[in-house]
Amino acid sequence: MLTTTLCAALSAGGLAIAMLTAYRRRFLAATRIAAVSLVPVGLAMAGLVTLGRKVGTATGHWAADLVLKPTVWMGFGVLAVAALLYGVTRLISARLPEGGGRAPAAVPGASTPAIPAGRPAAGRRRGGADSGLSDFADVEEILKRRGI
């Protein structure tokens, strides 16, 4: 109840300032002031002021537990280990060749793999590292033949 009254008083004060600004024929500034001054009463009516207080109280209790409980610190340690493991796997997977180092896929019933090991696939550029545009090599070749 007191919070709602305080928010209404803040909004009323802001609207009074907006009226004085409008009296001076600064309508754009007055409109902005009026918009900002309606925020406190809107927050109170929507219940977000109470929610903010509850979040603040919960954050304070959590911070007190952070200092006083070793299990909270162990929880941060577990989160750090999880992040470290995830990062290491991302680094390792970035260094592995495509396909994760497994043998090339074979067509069912075929005696040899569809793409022989050690040879680049048709349409791929030979030479250095893959630039990420190798899938468009066929399109590029067609455009060159047509003179585009």
Side-chain angles (χ1 to χ4, degrees):
M1 180 73 178
L2 180 64
T3 306
T4 307
T5 305
L6 180 63
C7 289
L10 282 172
S11 291
L15 289 175
I17 293 171
M19 293 295 288
L20 289 173
T21 307
Y23 179 74
R24 294 181 190 151
R25 299 204 180 268
R26 296 179 61 204
F27 297 112
L28 189 61
T31 305
R32 287 182 185 145
I33 293 169
V36 171
S37 68
L38 291 174
V39 170
V41 76
L43 290 174
M45 291 173 72
L48 294 174
V49 174
T50 307
L51 176 66
R53 185 182 67 233
K54 288 179 181 177
V55 167
T57 303
T59 303
H61 288 289
W62 175 81
D65 287 346
L66 175 68
V67 173
L68 301 175
K69 286 188 179 177
T71 56
V72 176
W73 288 103
M74 288 191 298
F76 278 116
V78 169
L79 289 173
V81 167
L84 182 69
L85 288 174
Y86 183 77
V88 166
T89 58
R90 295 283 298 196
L91 285 173
I92 291 173
S93 67
R95 292 178 185 218
L96 286 178
E98 284 187 34
R102 293 176 291 202
V107 177
S111 61
T112 60
I115 301 172
R119 273 186 49 204
R124 298 239 175 159
R125 295 183 184 182
R126 301 182 195 283
D130 190 10
S131 65
L133 299 176
S134 63
D135 295 338
F136 295 106
D138 295 334
V139 175
E140 184 179 335
E141 183 181 335
I142 293 169
L143 291 174
K144 282 183 181 178
R145 276 190 275 157
R146 299 190 184 250
I148 298 175

